[in-house]
Amino acid sequence: RDRLVTLRLAADAQVETLVALANQAVDTLNTAVADERVADEAHQDDVDRLEAARRAITPAALQWKDLVERHFPEALKWEALQVLDCESRGDPVAKNAFSGAEGHFQVLAGTWAYSSIGAGYGGSLRTDPEASVAAAAWLVRRSELFNGPNGRWAHWSCQPLPATGSG
């Protein structure tokens, strides 16, 4: 019986050691996964900065990339950022003194009256970044849906340009 007790204590100690080692392995794995996620995000940020530079998008406009990604399809995000950059240089309160156009995408008051409602932001100001980007995305979708004669960016003076550089 003493021998069984001794064996049981030894087995319990080994189990505790194995549990501790397993917990340590799980912690190491979790840390590695978190580090990989951080590295992936940093890499994607670098890729985005490179693409923005290739397309001549200023940092002031690039700061709105996440907002643009929420409202525009992936295939149009860089075009949208180019138009936003050209129209307002990333300034959500930009206003054209001649035409009265306002906001990120320099939308005219008449266009805003229906596009903000269509995008679900009726009553919002043209200088509201979320509303401005959502309304621009709505206008682009509408132009595509109805095959607008001047293309999806027909509502804007600024047009997206092809990326510069290779690749």
Side-chain angles (χ1 to χ4, degrees), residues 26-127:
V26 167
D27 289 344
T28 301
L29 179 61
N30 286 339
T31 299
V33 168
D35 290 347
E36 181 181 30
R37 187 176 303 119
V38 168
D40 285 347
E41 289 171 1
H43 173 71
Q44 188 58 51
D45 287 346
D46 289 343
V47 168
D48 287 348
R49 277 193 294 279
L50 177 61
E51 186 63 21
R54 289 179 65 233
R55 293 175 180 266
I57 297 169
T58 65
L62 187 59
Q63 72 177 320
W64 301 102
K65 181 179 73 69
D66 291 343
L67 180 59
V68 168
E69 287 176 333
R70 280 200 302 271
H71 294 284
F72 282 89
E74 178 68 23
L76 297 182
K77 82 176 180 183
W78 293 110
E79 288 183 13
L81 283 165
Q82 283 181 312
V83 172
L84 181 150
D85 192 22
C86 177
E87 292 287 346
S88 69
R89 290 290 185 238
D91 180 1
V93 296
K95 184 171 184 173
N96 183 309
F98 179 72
S99 69
E102 279 188 289
H104 272 133
F105 283 90
Q106 293 294 285
V107 177
L108 297 169
T111 304
W112 184 255
Y114 68 89
S115 65
S116 61
I117 292 169
Y121 288 86
S124 296
L125 298 175
R126 290 179 282 170
T127 55

Side-chain angles (χ1 to χ4, degrees), residues 129-148:
E130 185 88 30
S132 178
V133 173
W138 183 85
L139 284 167
V140 166
R141 282 191 305 277
R142 186 172 178 266
S143 293
E144 289 178 329
L145 181 65
F146 294 108
N147 293 319

Side-chain angles (χ1 to χ4, degrees), residues 3-44:
R3 178 76 176 139
L4 286 176
V5 169
T6 302
L7 288 173
R8 175 62 188 225
L9 290 174
D12 287 348
Q14 288 176 345
V15 167
E16 286 179 24
T17 300
L18 289 173
V19 167
L21 288 171
N23 286 337
Q24 184 179 5
V26 167
D27 289 344
T28 301
L29 179 61
N30 286 339
T31 299
V33 168
D35 290 347
E36 181 181 30
R37 187 176 303 119
V38 168
D40 285 347
E41 289 171 1
H43 173 71
Q44 188 58 51

